[in-house]
Amino acid sequence: MSSPAPHSANRPGSVFCIQQFHAQWLVFALACMIAALCAVIGLRHERAELQQQESQRLQGLVQVLDGIVAQQLHGIQAALQTIDDSHGKWRNSQMQQDARPLLSALAQAMPGVRMAAIIDARGRMRATSLAELPNFDASTRDYFLMPKAAPQYGMLYVSPPYSNALGEYTMSLSRALFDARGQFAGVAMVTLDPDYFKLVLGAAQTSDDTWSALVHADGMLYSLRPQNNAWMGRRLLDRPGSLLARHLASGQDASVQQGLALVSRDERLTALQTVRTPGLQTNRALIVAVGRQITALEAPWQRQWQQTLGAGLLLAMVSGLALWLRQRRLRSIAALREAQRRSDHDKAQHTQAVLDNMVDGVITIDARGLILSFNASACRMFGYSAEEVIGRNVSLLMPEPEASQHDGYLRNYLGGNQARVIGVGRDVTGRRKSGSNFPMSLAVSSIERDGEPLFIGLTRDITERKRAEAAIEKLAFNDPLTGLPNRRLLLDRLNQTLASAQRQGRHGAVLFIDLDNFKSLNDTLGHGMGDLLLQSIAQRLLGTVRAQDSVARWGGDEFVVLLQDLGQDYAEAAQHAEAAAEKILRVLGQPYQLKDHLHHSTPSIGIKVWGAGDGSSSEDLLKHADHAMYQAKAGGRNQLCFFDPVTQAAMAERATLEADLRGALQNDQFALYLQAQVNQHGQLTGAEVLLRWQHPQRGWVSPAQFIPLAEQTGLIVPLGAWVMQQACALLALWAGQPRLEGLSLAVNVSAVQFRHKGFLSTLQQILARSNAPTERLKIELTESALVDDVEGVIRLMTELGRLGVGLSLDDFGTGYSSLAYLKRLPLKQLKIDQSFVRDLISEPNAHAIAHAIVQLGDSLGLHVIAEGVETEAQRDLLAQLGCHAYQGYLFGRPTPIEAFVAEALQWPKPMAGQTQTAEPAKAQATSEDRPADAPLPA
């Protein structure tokens, strides 16, 4: 195989290096100039931003002062209006005596007013807020002359600042007074307190370099902080180009001016605001101003400018030194390369002989991408001979678009950019002479020969390896039955989608699909038909969704659809997800031809929409969608349902409570309470057993929470058995005590526990072990226990009657009582529900129902007891109706066993409403300490 001729040894390398070094210094100088320009622009921008921020801050301070002054002017106008309204009522001869109380009150009520006075039409002061009327002629004062010259009703006249008779520098506000004929009758005026306005201006003096001022529109300075007496009484408008003159010339109520401040003789940034009060007319305006010294404002910026200049100069010096040292080193290297180049050619011939016998293809190219060498293995791999490719561009061996991009890649690499292939092995695609493509592994290394870069590529055909990898990947990430992505691949795609959605702020959705009644198909037609249905479902799902969406088989008859890029709005994404789910419902609801069988199948779909700020993990999204799917099934199947976080939270709370309930019996957290039952004479006849649960963290848990949960989970059976054991043990203990042996215990039995097949045998074992007197045990059942299998219930109740156990129908009248089976039940007692007892006096219907229950019990030979009796009026009325057994707060609240025994030994006792103490723990809501529709277990 031929090889390229060696490069000439007489290259002008030194000239090239000198030119390159000159270019480097030129670039260095240009970079320094650009950096300096950028620094100047940046500093100027920061200075402008600093002044803009300070302008906004000063404007805020000025607006605060404007509000205070405007409010003061409005209050003064109201005070002068009050004086005007009362002026006609005062006696002219006793003006000081009549007007002084009002004037004093108004002057004291306004913190900014020092004195209020009334001046007649000749300019004589007739009344003041002072204790004594001064003999003062105001006819030459501006506050009198201005309203006299142009009297206008309601106009507030603002006089320029002046020094009063006491030598105080002040300012007055006045209002023209008119007699009954509308003629000018004088002036009502107030004199402002300069100390008050000094305090007001002091609120805006946030630093030592800040001053604030209140100025009359004529240019007279009224108040200034910090104080500068040299400018008091001088007109600022006499100086051309003053900040006040520029503000007034702008024609705007608010402006920010920068310039030389007359009062402080320095450059300042000043915000000015002309005080305007809505609904108030003034002949002259007041201006508030706040200014800050420019040198103090820009002090941080000046420091930053100096630091930037010093850092820039230091960086330029260090960079120039580094460039000089680098060029010095390059000159030394260039001398060594020339010597090395001569020996490289000899070594290349030896190397070529080795390469021609290698198994891998070896291809050498130069900096222009031209092929310099092509070994025998490369010839076999690509189908070219060495003569056909040497001297041609290596892109000949690449498919598009890599072929078009390769020269650009070489230029980028040689220009100093990062390499994508050099030194890193990777799998790429090659192109044979026949035009066919094939996968190959490529490793490229870079060397230099005669100062020119060369690239050596090692290639290997990996077609067989790629086929094996594809087969393995398909088995690892795809469902073998449907060909859809499996759970592992779905989770990977979902995690990638979530990460992309977080960056782009887009919404998406997960649809969890479960086939309705799929098990029946497998059971009737076999699993082969089930597999055909799953394959058909997969094909229909793929044809329903968009190209960017994903369909996966989760397992069994469950599928997951991942909808991506549903928009940036949650509501819009939910609409798209709902539309997609409804389409899937329609498509999957069509009949399926499974060989010779036409099968109908429907799905239930749960939807979970997520957004950029959701924060949910992929596991959370799938769990929520799965939960929504079960909600859809619970709603009747063949429908869709969105995830409801409220329901999820309730289920989590229910699961926690269930776990706590399972450990409550083992941890001895339950306790029995007893509530007294008495006859018409007030004698204690027994008690009803009530269950309490004191959780170590939750405290007393209401039976309305844990009894329904115990029934749903089946825990009511062991819980009820424990209650029955405790009740029977208590009866056995009382049997030997004269005052207690005649008492009975009524135990509520849940419908779930009563219908349990082992209830009768469990009760027999408890009675046998405890030796409890069975005639003292009474089981209370609700009507819900009698709804299903009435005949079986009658047989069970008959067996219980043979044991001697009494049976009572609890909450009678609240369910669907049927006299047809009531007469057949071996009952001994009916219990009137507390809802009828509570409304017995106030509601005729409750009275009638209670009366009917008592009559029904008498006719059937049953005892009747009323629960929830809380007042003597209720007891008396029940006695009149023929009910002579009672239970309720009137006779005693539910109490622990020890407390009940102590009370029973001292019975009879006063009514519970008179002496009973509070219940130890509020675990129920009604007078019997339990809800009427939630029977306690036994």
Side-chain angles (χ1 to χ4, degrees):
M1 185 184 73
S2 63
S3 60
H7 291 279
S8 174
N10 297 321
R11 295 172 56 229
S14 59
V15 176
F16 175 78
C17 290
I18 293 173
Q19 293 176 347
Q20 186 180 34
F21 292 164
H22 289 169
Q24 290 175 354
W25 280 110
L26 181 62
V27 170
F28 173 76
L30 183 60
C32 290
M33 294 174 60
I34 294 175
L37 180 61
C38 292
V40 171
I41 294 174
L43 289 171
R44 288 175 61 88
H45 177 70
E46 289 184 5
R47 183 181 187 184
E49 283 189 347
L50 180 63
Q51 292 186 353
Q52 177 67 22
Q53 292 175 1
E54 185 64 21
S55 297
Q56 294 175 354
R57 189 184 73 84
L58 293 176
Q59 286 177 324
L61 293 175
V62 164
Q63 290 174 1
V64 172
L65 295 179
D66 173 74
I68 296 175
V69 175
Q71 183 180 11
Q72 188 70 16
L73 292 179
H74 193 276
I76 291 173
Q77 174 71 334
L80 295 177
Q81 177 67 47
T82 303
I83 297 173
D84 190 1
D85 295 339
S86 304
H87 174 256
K89 303 176 184 179
W90 296 327
R91 296 169 296 177
N92 192 38
S93 60
Q94 300 294 328
M95 182 70 70
Q96 173 69 5
Q97 180 179 355
D98 294 345
R100 183 177 177 274
L102 177 61
L103 296 179
S104 299
L106 293 176
Q108 294 175 3
M110 293 180 291
V113 173
R114 175 163 292 183
M115 181 192 74
I118 299 176
I119 302 170
D120 61 16
R122 295 178 299 171
R124 302 299 300 178
M125 191 170 294
R126 300 301 307 276
T128 71
S129 58
L130 302 177
E132 295 182 4
L133 177 65
N135 184 16
F136 181 75
D137 184 6
S139 60
T140 61
R141 293 295 189 180
D142 288 337
Y143 58 79
F144 174 80
L145 294 175
M146 288 188 296
K148 180 181 181 181
Q152 183 178 348
Y153 184 80
M155 173 69 72
L156 184 65
Y157 296 87
V158 184
S159 74
Y162 64 93
S163 295
N164 61 15
L166 299 177
E168 296 175 336
Y169 189 73
T170 184
M171 187 166 56
S172 296
L173 306 179
S174 58
R175 174 188 175 108
L177 301 177
F178 300 87
D179 57 19
R181 296 173 299 171
Q183 298 298 319
F184 177 76
V187 171
M189 57 84 70
V190 296
T191 300
L192 301 182
D193 185 359
D195 294 333
Y196 170 78
F197 286 95
K198 290 179 182 178
L199 293 176
V200 171
L201 294 178
Q205 190 179 4
T206 58
S207 61
D208 294 336
D209 55 84
T210 303
W211 56 248
S212 53
L214 178 62
V215 189
H216 192 272
D218 289 346
M220 298 290 289
L221 186 63
Y222 173 58
S223 185
L224 176 67
R225 290 298 301 272
Q227 186 72 22
N228 188 346
N229 294 327
W231 282 93
M232 293 301 173
R234 298 172 63 179
R235 291 185 80 254
L236 300 178
L237 295 179
D238 292 340
R239 302 296 182 92
S242 65
L243 298 179
L244 178 61
R246 287 158 58 184
H247 167 70
L248 295 175
S250 70
Q252 300 178 353
D253 289 342
S255 69
V256 178
Q257 306 293 337
Q258 181 176 345
L260 181 64
L262 296 177
V263 296
S264 56
R265 305 304 300 172
D266 57 6
E267 188 79 2
R268 295 216 168 230
L269 183 67
T270 306
L272 301 98
Q273 175 83 32
T274 301
V275 180
R276 304 290 187 191
T277 304
L280 178 62
Q281 291 182 321
T282 60
N283 69 325
R284 293 289 190 275
L286 294 177
I287 295 97
V288 291
V290 178
R292 189 179 179 192
Q293 192 178 35
I294 291 295
T295 55
L297 167 65
E298 294 182 351
W301 178 84
Q302 291 287 347
R303 290 192 296 271
Q304 184 180 4
W305 180 85
Q306 295 171 0
Q307 293 171 359
T308 303
L309 178 61
L313 292 175
L314 179 61
L315 180 61
M317 294 175 60
V318 172
S319 300
L321 179 62
L323 179 59
W324 180 80
L325 293 174
R326 179 179 180 277
Q327 292 181 353
R328 181 180 178 183
R329 178 175 178 272
L330 290 177
R331 290 189 182 95
S332 301
I333 294 175
L336 295 174
R337 284 179 178 172
E338 183 63 21
Q340 184 66 30
R341 184 187 62 81
R342 293 184 175 90
S343 64
D344 288 343
H345 176 66
D346 297 334
K347 296 179 181 178
Q349 291 181 338
H350 176 267
T351 302
Q352 187 66 48
V354 175
L355 295 178
D356 288 341
N357 293 283
M358 290 182 63
V359 175
D360 293 336
V362 180
I363 305 171
T364 306
I365 64 173
D366 62 12
R368 295 172 296 170
L370 301 181
I371 299 176
L372 302 178
S373 67
F374 203 72
N375 75 342
S377 294
C379 293
R380 291 190 297 269
M381 190 181 303
F382 289 94
Y384 289 100
S385 65
E387 291 75 11
E388 291 178 298
V389 295
I390 290 178
R392 300 178 65 180
N393 196 287
V394 73
S395 60
L396 174 73
L397 309 177
M398 304 176 185
E400 293 294 344
E402 288 83 359
S404 301
Q405 298 173 351
H406 182 263
D407 289 346
Y409 165 71
L410 270 181
R411 286 193 296 270
N412 289 337
Y413 172 74
L414 295 174
N417 294 334
Q418 183 178 3
R420 294 183 303 153
V421 178
I422 305 300
V424 180
R426 60 187 299 183
D427 294 344
V428 297
T429 301
R431 185 177 64 182
R432 294 188 175 95
K433 182 178 180 180
S434 63
S436 61
N437 297 335
F438 68 98
M440 67 177 189
S441 64
L442 173 65
V444 180
S445 59
S446 175
I447 63 173
E448 282 194 6
R449 186 169 63 186
D450 298 332
E452 291 291 332
L454 296 179
F455 303 96
I456 301 175
L458 299 180
T459 63
R460 177 176 294 180
D461 190 338
I462 57 172
T463 302
E464 294 302 323
R465 194 192 80 187
K466 286 293 184 181
R467 289 174 183 170
E469 289 177 353
I472 294 173
E473 182 177 1
K474 186 172 183 180
L475 291 175
F477 294 101
N478 291 83
D479 175 49
L481 177 63
T482 62
L484 295 176
N486 59 13
R487 180 179 303 193
R488 180 180 178 184
L489 182 55
L490 172 68
L491 289 173
D492 181 66
R493 290 183 179 179
L494 182 54
N495 288 328
Q496 294 178 9
T497 302
L498 288 176
S500 176
Q502 291 290 339
R503 293 191 302 269
Q504 301 175 7
R506 311 291 290 180
H507 287 76
V510 172
L511 276 57
F512 205 101
I513 304 171
D514 185 86
L515 303 183
D516 300 330
N517 304 314
F518 178 74
K519 184 176 182 298
S520 62
L521 173 65
N522 282 335
D523 294 342
T524 55
L525 299 181
H527 290 276
M529 288 296 183
D531 292 345
L532 290 178
L533 176 61
L534 293 176
Q535 292 171 345
S536 300
I537 293 287
Q539 294 303 314
R540 292 191 183 186
L541 286 175
L542 290 173
T544 303
V545 300
R546 303 169 300 174
Q548 66 263 39
D549 300 328
S550 298
V551 179
R553 184 184 179 197
W554 188 250
D557 61 339
E558 295 176 334
F559 295 85
V560 174
V561 175
L562 175 60
L563 302 178
Q564 304 182 47
D565 195 16
L566 298 184
Q568 294 183 338
D569 182 66
Y570 181 88
E572 178 186 359
Q575 292 177 356
H576 288 315
E578 184 177 13
E582 289 177 347
K583 181 178 180 181
I584 292 174
L585 283 175
R586 292 193 303 271
V587 172
L588 299 189
Q590 300 297 319
Y592 297 84
Q593 187 65 46
L594 307 178
K595 294 185 178 180
D596 297 334
H597 299 275
L598 186 64
H599 179 73
H600 293 269
S601 177
T602 59
S604 295
I605 304 177
I607 306 173
K608 169 59 179 178
V609 179
W610 83 83
D614 195 325
S616 299
S617 64
S618 56
E619 291 78 6
D620 292 336
L621 293 177
L622 290 168
K623 180 177 66 176
H624 294 166
D626 186 36
H627 170 69
M629 181 271 294
Y630 280 107
Q631 291 293 109
K633 283 190 176 294
R637 302 175 186 269
N638 191 25
Q639 58 181 285
L640 59 90
C641 180
F642 282 87
F643 169 70
D644 182 9
V646 175
T647 305
Q648 176 70 11
M651 292 182 63
E653 172 63 20
R654 181 184 182 277
T656 302
L657 188 63
E658 178 182 347
D660 293 344
L661 185 61
R662 293 184 181 276
L665 267 176
Q666 299 177 358
N667 298 327
D668 196 23
Q669 296 176 5
F670 289 106
L672 296 185
Y673 276 52
L674 303 180
Q675 187 174 27
Q677 294 179 342
V678 302
N679 58 19
Q680 69 272 26
H681 303 297
Q683 297 173 338
L684 184 65
T685 61
E688 180 180 3
V689 177
L690 302 173
L691 184 61
R692 292 289 183 275
W693 179 15
Q694 187 174 21
H695 192 277
Q697 285 80 37
R698 300 171 183 262
W700 292 100
V701 182
S702 171
Q705 290 182 268
F706 71 85
I707 293 300
L709 180 60
E711 291 179 331
Q712 296 169 10
T713 58
L715 293 174
I716 194 68
V717 175
L719 183 59
W722 179 84
V723 173
M724 189 65 74
Q725 290 175 1
Q726 301 300 315
C728 291
L730 191 59
L731 287 173
L733 180 64
W734 289 353
Q737 304 180 39
R739 295 295 299 273
L740 301 176
E741 62 184 359
L743 301 181
S744 62
L745 286 180
V747 181
N748 285 278
V749 174
S750 165
V752 175
Q753 181 188 4
F754 188 75
R755 290 194 294 267
H756 190 264
K757 62 181 181 180
F759 173 74
L760 180 60
S761 60
T762 300
L763 180 59
Q764 289 173 337
Q765 295 174 7
I766 292 174
L767 291 172
R769 287 197 301 265
S770 63
N771 292 322
T774 57
E775 68 277 4
R776 296 300 176 190
L777 178 63
K778 182 167 56 179
I779 292 179
E780 292 189 358
L781 301 171
T782 59
E783 295 178 33
S784 60
L786 313 176
V787 174
D788 298 328
D789 190 14
V790 176
E791 296 300 327
V793 169
I794 293 175
R795 289 194 298 270
L796 179 57
M797 294 178 68
T798 301
E799 292 295 330
L800 293 174
R802 291 174 182 168
L803 294 176
V805 177
L807 297 172
S808 174
L809 190 56
D810 194 11
D811 299 337
F812 185 75
T814 60
Y816 299 95
S817 304
S818 172
L819 300 180
Y821 69 73
L822 183 61
K823 67 180 181 180
R824 300 174 54 196
L825 298 177
L827 297 172
K828 291 186 178 181
Q829 186 184 69
L830 294 179
K831 199 169 194 179
I832 303 176
D833 184 71
Q834 59 179 333
S835 60
F836 303 131
V837 176
R838 181 175 58 249
D839 302 328
L840 185 64
I841 298 176
S842 60
E843 186 175 335
N845 290 337
H847 181 279
I849 292 173
H851 190 197
I853 294 174
V854 172
Q855 290 181 332
L856 179 63
D858 290 342
S859 63
L860 295 177
L862 302 177
H863 297 289
V864 179
I865 183 172
E867 64 179 1
V869 181
E870 298 182 353
T871 65
E872 295 184 7
Q874 291 174 344
R875 180 198 60 187
D876 294 340
L877 186 53
L878 287 168
Q880 293 176 14
L881 296 178
C883 178
H884 303 301
Y886 319 103
Q887 176 184 339
Y889 281 6
L890 180 63
F891 309 100
R893 292 177 179 265
T895 59
I897 295 176
E898 295 80 6
F900 176 84
V901 170
E903 292 177 358
L905 293 176
Q906 299 177 2
W907 205 276
K909 63 173 185 175
M911 293 299 99
Q914 302 171 12
T915 62
Q916 286 293 323
T917 59
E919 183 183 354
K922 295 298 293 179
Q924 263 79 27
T926 67
S927 63
E928 279 196 298
D929 205 33
R930 66 179 177 87
D933 58 347
L936 295 178

